[in-house]
């Protein structure tokens, strides 16, 4: 799901959907937080991604995942255009399978995710992300 993060960018793939996200949001933290929320059966959760020129969202639910993609500009002029509207993609994929992919991708590129923030690696961030991964593993039965 998450390509190797590099130079403040990462590509996110879900089935046929693929788009980029920049360091302007904490991609891994936000995704982990959303997955934990849904797997704790607290309802759906959305994650905002800034692609530096457009923005998009993933909405995780228990049964489906929705992607709301603003494929061009996200300024006031674009948002008020009657011609260019957000695109909705529905991903029929179990939340547990998405969580497994995220865990695998996080562990594969561990150092890059730990130092993802512009401030770089910190002990607090390392501890927090590791706790979140452990919690996610427990929620999907992969302790």
């Amino acid at each position: 799901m998450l390509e190797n993060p590099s130079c403040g960018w990462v590509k996110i793939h879900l089935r046929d959907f693929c788009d980029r996200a920049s360091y302007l949001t904490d991609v891994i933290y936000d995704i982990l937080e959303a997955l934990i929320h849904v797997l704790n059966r607290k309802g759906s959760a959305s994650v905002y991604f800034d692609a530096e020129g457009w923005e998009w969202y993933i909405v995780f639910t228990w049964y489906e995942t929705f992607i709301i993609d603003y494929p061009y500009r996200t300024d006031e002029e674009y948002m008020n255009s009657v011609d260019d509207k957000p695109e909705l993609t529905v991903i029929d994929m179990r939340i547990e399978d998405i969580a497994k992919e995220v865990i695998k991708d996080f562990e594969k590129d561990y150092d890059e995710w730990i130092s993802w923030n512009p401030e770089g690696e910190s002990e607090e961030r390392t501890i927090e992300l590791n706790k979140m991964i452990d919690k996610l593993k427990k929620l999907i039965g992969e302790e």
Side-chain angles (χ1 to χ4, degrees):
M1 181 175 151
L2 302 170
E3 273 189 20
N4 182 12
S6 177
C7 301
W9 291 96
V10 65
K11 280 198 177 177
I12 300 174
H13 300 269
L14 273 171
R15 301 267 193 223
D16 293 334
F17 177 84
C18 178
D19 210 336
R20 68 183 190 187
S22 83
Y23 71 94
L24 296 177
T25 62
D26 193 343
V27 172
I28 193 67
Y29 183 91
D30 295 345
I31 290 173
L32 291 173
E33 184 176 53
L35 292 172
I36 289 167
H37 179 86
V38 174
L39 287 163
N40 272 322
R41 296 190 180 265
K42 294 183 177 179
S44 61
S46 66
V47 180
Y48 165 80
F49 299 98
D50 191 317
E52 294 190 36
W54 65 91
E55 58 190 27
W56 57 283
Y57 297 81
I58 293 179
V59 180
F60 295 108
T61 73
W62 190 257
Y63 299 105
E64 294 173 308
T65 296
F66 303 94
I67 297 170
I68 304 166
D69 189 12
Y70 299 88
Y72 302 104
R73 297 175 301 134
T74 53
D75 58 20
E76 279 299 312
E77 179 183 327
Y78 167 72
M79 296 300 288
N80 293 321
S81 169
V82 294
D83 298 325
D84 297 322
K85 295 295 179 191
E87 297 173 6
L88 177 66
T89 303
V90 180
I91 307 292
D92 184 21
M93 191 170 174
R94 293 176 26 155
I95 195 74
E96 294 94 342
D97 294 333
I98 293 172
K100 287 176 186 177
E101 280 192 38
V102 169
I103 291 167
K104 177 186 66 125
D105 294 340
F106 173 79
E107 290 175 342
K108 177 177 59 85
D109 296 313
Y110 182 82
D111 292 337
E112 290 84 357
W113 285 119
I114 293 298
S115 61
W116 174 258
N117 279 354
E119 298 85 33
E121 184 177 346
S122 71
E123 185 176 344
E124 295 82 18
R125 178 174 174 77
T126 302
I127 291 168
E128 183 63 25
L129 289 177
N130 285 324
K131 282 182 184 178
M132 293 174 87
I133 287 291
D134 290 344
K135 186 170 190 171
L136 193 56
K137 284 180 178 180
K138 287 179 185 173
L139 287 168
I140 62 172
E142 289 196 358
E143 303 180 74

